[in-house]
Amino acid sequence: MAYRFRQDGLRFSLGFILAISLAGLQFIAILFVVTTSYLSSERAILNHANGLMERVGANAVGHTKRFLEPAGEVVDQASRVLNSGLVGTTDRDTMERYFFELLQTESSVAGINYGDEKGNFVYVMKSDGPGPYRTKIITIEEGVRKTDFIWRTEDYEIVARDNDPLDPYDARTRPWYIKASALDTRIWTNPYIFFTSQQPGVTVASPVVFEQEGLQGVVGVDIEISDISNFLSELQVSKSGAAVILHQDGSVLAHPDPDQIKVLNDDGTLSFANIKDIDDPVSRAAFANFEDEAVTNFGLPSNFSFRRNDYLGLFESLEGVGLPWTVAVYAPENDFIGEIKRNRARNIWIAAGISLLTAFVGLTIAELILRPVRAFAVRTALVSQGEVSAQAPLPRTYQELSKANKTLINEIAQRRDSEEKVQELSRDLAHFSRVNLMGQMASGLAHELSQPLTAITQNVDAAISTAKESGAASEDLMLILKELDEQAHQGGNVVRALRGFVRKDRGRMAVFNFNELLDQAKRLMRHEAESRHVALIYEPAKHPMVKGNRTQIAQVLINLIRNAIEAIATADSEIRQVVVHAETASDVLRVQVKDTGPGVPEGVRLFKQFQTSKESGMGLGLSISRSIVENNGGRIWHDKEAKDYTIFCFTIPLETQ
């Protein structure tokens, strides 16, 4: 009895201590790794997020400046031409033609006008009809006022004429005329809603002053700022972040939702909405700490909370243009670290589960280790009592230790293979990041060079026109100007070629059998589909020979099939089926990937970068697929008319094309 007690006590103490030690050490190690990884990852990602916010804010500020600066350059150029006498302030026909040419050079400019001290007025603007350009000319001669309207084509051909003897417009009463003539310098007006187009806009104006005769009039340039809202709607801050532009009085000048900008007044007129009145609670919360009289005190990072969610905020003033505007950028922190928080909770539960499993494994290993010890202890006791000969064969308990050793070796080898795969994936992701960065740098360089080259060509054209009109230009000067114009255009062609190289690398094209590719995709996706209990049905084409980049088309096909399988598995659909159907249609092969999943959620913009319905998705799969298909001469789309299935389709040119 004493021997049995000591044997059981040995078994209990060694097994229990081994199991608890393994489980405890495992849990502490995992918890330490999870905690340190979470803290370092959170800090790194938040630092990256702040840097991203600054870049997005700088991008929005830079885009807004580039959008507004051409209007200032146009009004300065027109003012110089009128002040120099190259275009007479009373020669309305020449002035109209000159304004028409200026208007064609700048897409952001909505109209150019000139009003003089006598009430005469010339206004050339873009129009919706009956011609693309409309001219309004007010002439006052001997007290008789005449208002003419002229619609022209892009070639300056007259489409229609009209007049309005009751038109009461007087440029001298407009804010841009009064402010520019009083300050004797170029000015920007406060934003307002244009009467004709009902679009938000702003006017930049400059006085025309003769040295001997004084103020002659004011030239003004109208610019619609609604395109800035369109830019903000495309600006990717984060999954649910946004950017807003405000005037110093709190008026919303640009918003990702253009309908938020304008409000209808009681008198039927339109005006800008105030930030406190828009139907955007997050934007209102971002500005909750600013009073009306302190709205100009921007320029600082400003984090805030809304509905128990922390937000990153940044405010950048629009300096260098002369406008009291501010760009506000905000995004929820969870857009950047939400997945890390969820991973932390998951990892803690995983650590607890691994610890319990480790305890069980520890007890099992302890039993395997102690079994030969007990056998030897029993043999020793029997030998000492004379019941067993010392020459008797030893127990075959070492086989168990050998099996346990092999098991441990296999587990170590599997873990090593897993770590090598993780390292390989990390290298692939790093390579993709570098390639993507180089593409962005090339695209950004092409974008930044295009504007100065455009400005050079416009200035050279203006110089050639001025030289021809003066009549005193030498042939050498004209030759230099023409060569300069040709070189500037050549530079523009190089920039466009660079942008095309970055965006439209088609890769290697070849003729291949699509049915063979379909069969390979079937074998590749079979295991993933079976693990999620999804049936894959393939319907090959009768004429399968197509032309394109086989590897890229395979990437698109696999991506669509995998998306369909994941959608069905995530929604836990009753009918779990994916059908890949290929058929010829005219000169292309049309491929349909149909699944019985839940469909595309509302609000998700398909084929747009970083737009996804997956919790852990990056939102790049469909965007990359569209680029691949288009580069291979086809197109890709979502069939919105389908009812029983969610259908994505793409086409590939047939061999005969």
Side-chain angles (χ1 to χ4, degrees):
M1 294 295 294
Y3 168 73
R4 182 178 298 275
F5 175 79
R6 288 194 300 270
Q7 179 181 346
D8 293 341
L10 178 64
R11 175 183 179 185
F12 173 79
S13 60
L14 289 178
F16 182 78
I17 292 174
L18 181 61
I20 293 299
S21 298
L22 288 175
L25 290 175
Q26 187 82 12
F27 183 77
I28 292 174
I30 294 177
L31 190 62
F32 175 77
V33 171
V34 169
T35 303
T36 55
S37 176
Y38 168 76
L39 293 177
S40 60
S41 299
E42 180 185 37
R43 184 165 51 251
I45 292 180
L46 285 179
N47 290 335
H48 174 73
N50 289 324
L52 176 63
M53 297 281 287
E54 292 178 1
R55 289 193 295 272
V56 171
N59 187 18
V61 170
H63 176 84
T64 305
K65 285 184 178 180
R66 289 192 295 271
F67 185 81
L68 297 174
E69 284 172 351
E73 295 171 357
V74 168
V75 78
D76 288 342
Q77 179 180 344
S79 177
R80 288 194 301 268
V81 170
L82 293 176
N83 277 314
S84 66
L86 293 176
V87 175
T89 56
T90 59
D91 187 357
R92 297 178 183 85
D93 293 336
T94 303
M95 186 183 300
E96 179 192 6
R97 183 61 182 261
Y98 175 62
F99 286 173
F100 180 85
E101 293 176 353
L102 285 179
L103 193 60
Q104 286 185 316
T105 62
E106 293 295 342
S107 60
S108 62
V109 174
I112 308 174
N113 59 73
Y114 172 76
D116 63 15
E117 287 289 274
K118 297 179 181 180
N120 297 299
F121 182 65
V122 176
Y123 184 29
V124 181
M125 63 175 289
K126 295 175 182 177
S127 173
D128 294 332
Y133 296 92
R134 190 195 77 170
T135 301
K136 179 179 181 179
I137 300 178
I138 299 177
T139 306
I140 300 177
E141 295 180 355
E142 297 180 358
V144 178
R145 176 188 176 94
K146 181 181 179 184
T147 303
D148 295 316
F149 296 94
I150 305 173
W151 285 268
R152 296 183 183 275
T153 65
E154 294 181 351
D155 298 326
Y156 204 66
E157 299 292 334
I158 297 177
V159 177
R161 289 179 176 271
D162 198 1
N163 61 78
D164 185 3
L166 301 179
D167 181 78
Y169 184 83
D170 189 345
R172 295 170 296 182
T173 64
R174 306 304 295 170
W176 55 270
Y177 191 101
I178 297 172
K179 188 175 180 180
S181 60
L183 297 178
D184 196 22
T185 186
R186 190 182 80 175
I187 60 93
W188 290 87
T189 65
N190 291 333
Y192 61 98
I193 306 298
F194 289 157
F195 177 78
T196 303
S197 64
Q198 296 296 297
Q199 293 297 322
V202 65
T203 299
V204 55
S206 180
V208 177
V209 181
F210 290 175
E211 184 175 353
Q212 300 296 330
E213 302 175 14
L215 178 67
Q216 299 298 305
V218 175
V219 60
V221 172
D222 294 338
I223 178 171
E224 292 184 358
I225 60 177
S226 55
D227 287 343
I228 301 179
S229 292
N230 297 333
F231 167 77
L232 294 183
S233 66
E234 299 292 333
L235 191 64
Q236 286 293 332
V237 181
S238 68
K239 182 178 180 181
S240 54
V244 183
I245 298 180
L246 276 78
H247 192 260
Q248 65 179 3
D249 62 359
S251 298
V252 181
L253 305 181
H255 190 280
D257 182 5
D259 295 335
Q260 298 278 358
I261 297 176
K262 295 179 289 186
V263 295
L264 182 64
N265 300 320
D266 295 336
D267 58 359
T269 61
L270 293 174
S271 62
F272 285 93
N274 191 276
I275 185 63
K276 295 183 178 181
D277 300 327
I278 65 173
D279 186 18
D280 184 356
V282 180
S283 294
R284 294 200 307 268
F287 290 90
N289 296 330
F290 295 95
E291 301 295 337
D292 290 342
E293 62 272 10
V295 176
T296 56
N297 295 328
F298 290 126
L300 300 173
S302 178
N303 299 340
F304 63 96
S305 297
F306 177 71
R307 294 179 180 175
R308 298 182 180 179
N309 291 323
D310 293 329
Y311 282 76
L312 300 175
L314 180 68
F315 301 94
E316 293 283 349
S317 60
L318 195 67
E319 298 178 350
V321 181
L323 289 171
W325 295 5
T326 297
V327 177
V329 182
Y330 60 83
E333 283 188 358
N334 284 338
D335 280 4
F336 304 101
I337 62 174
E339 187 61 28
I340 294 180
K341 291 181 179 179
R342 290 188 288 271
N343 283 338
R344 178 186 60 178
R346 273 198 303 267
N347 290 338
I348 291 176
W349 283 107
I350 291 173
I354 291 176
S355 299
L356 294 176
L357 179 62
T358 303
F360 175 76
V361 172
L363 290 173
T364 303
I365 294 176
E367 175 64 23
L368 294 175
I369 294 174
L370 291 175
R371 186 179 300 172
V373 175
R374 291 196 303 272
F376 282 117
V378 170
R379 175 182 171 81
T380 301
L382 294 176
V383 170
S384 64
Q385 294 174 5
E387 297 181 9
V388 175
S389 173
Q391 303 300 321
L394 295 174
R396 301 179 62 184
T397 55
Y398 286 104
Q399 294 180 0
E400 299 177 358
L401 293 175
S402 177
K403 292 180 180 179
N405 183 53
K406 291 181 180 179
T407 302
L408 289 175
I409 292 175
N410 291 334
E411 290 183 355
I412 293 173
Q414 291 177 2
R415 177 168 295 184
R416 185 181 297 112
D417 293 340
S418 177
E419 291 176 352
E420 290 177 356
K421 292 181 180 179
V422 171
Q423 292 176 358
E424 181 181 357
L425 177 60
S426 178
R427 290 192 296 270
D428 292 343
L429 290 175
H431 175 71
F432 174 79
S433 177
R434 290 193 297 270
V435 172
N436 187 41
L437 178 60
M438 293 301 297
Q440 292 178 355
M441 290 174 61
S443 179
L445 180 61
H447 176 74
E448 293 297 331
L449 288 176
S450 62
Q451 184 172 353
L453 288 174
T454 302
I456 291 173
T457 57
Q458 293 174 355
N459 289 333
V460 171
D461 291 340
I464 293 174
S465 177
T466 302
K468 288 181 178 180
E469 292 181 359
S470 64
S474 65
E475 294 183 359
D476 292 339
L477 175 60
M478 295 300 294
L479 180 60
I480 292 172
L481 291 176
K482 289 181 179 179
E483 290 181 355
L484 179 59
D485 184 54
E486 292 174 356
Q487 293 299 322
H489 279 86
Q490 184 177 358
N493 293 334
V494 172
V495 169
R496 286 189 293 272
L498 175 60
R499 183 176 295 174
F501 174 77
V502 172
R503 294 181 177 175
K504 299 181 180 179
D505 183 11
R506 295 181 59 87
R508 183 179 178 183
M509 301 292 180
V511 177
F512 65 94
N513 190 320
F514 182 80
N515 285 348
E516 293 180 359
L517 178 64
L518 197 62
D519 184 67
Q520 294 174 1
K522 179 180 180 179
R523 295 197 300 269
L524 181 63
M525 299 303 298
R526 180 177 59 189
H527 176 72
E528 184 172 343
E530 289 176 353
S531 65
R532 301 196 178 194
H533 307 289
V534 177
L536 291 179
I537 301 174
Y538 293 84
E539 299 174 353
K542 294 182 179 179
H543 304 285
M545 302 307 296
V546 296
K547 184 177 182 181
N549 188 308
R550 191 178 189 275
T551 303
Q552 293 179 353
I553 298 301
Q555 182 179 357
V556 173
L557 181 61
I558 294 299
N559 183 53
L560 293 179
I561 296 174
R562 181 171 286 116
N563 285 347
I565 294 174
E566 291 177 354
I568 294 174
T570 302
D572 198 15
S573 303
E574 293 183 1
I575 302 177
R576 308 170 73 88
Q577 186 180 87
V578 176
V579 179
V580 182
H581 175 76
E583 63 180 2
T584 56
S586 184
D587 56 350
V588 297
L589 180 70
R590 183 170 62 190
V591 183
Q592 294 181 331
V593 179
K594 304 185 290 185
D595 67 82
T596 57
V600 179
E602 295 183 0
V604 174
R605 301 178 64 181
L606 295 175
F607 306 107
K608 181 175 177 59
Q609 290 183 347
F610 308 111
Q611 289 286 318
T612 179
S613 59
K614 304 177 185 177
E615 292 184 0
S616 59
M618 294 180 62
L620 292 174
L622 288 179
S623 175
I624 294 174
S625 297
R626 182 178 67 177
S627 300
I628 291 175
V629 172
E630 291 177 352
N631 287 341
N632 281 270
R635 68 185 188 97
I636 186 170
W637 71 95
H638 169 235
D639 189 355
K640 299 181 180 179
E641 303 297 328
K643 295 181 179 179
D644 298 331
Y645 288 91
T646 300
I647 302 178
F648 283 86
C649 309
F650 68 94
T651 60
I652 319 169
L654 292 174
E655 178 186 3
T656 56
Q657 186 174 1

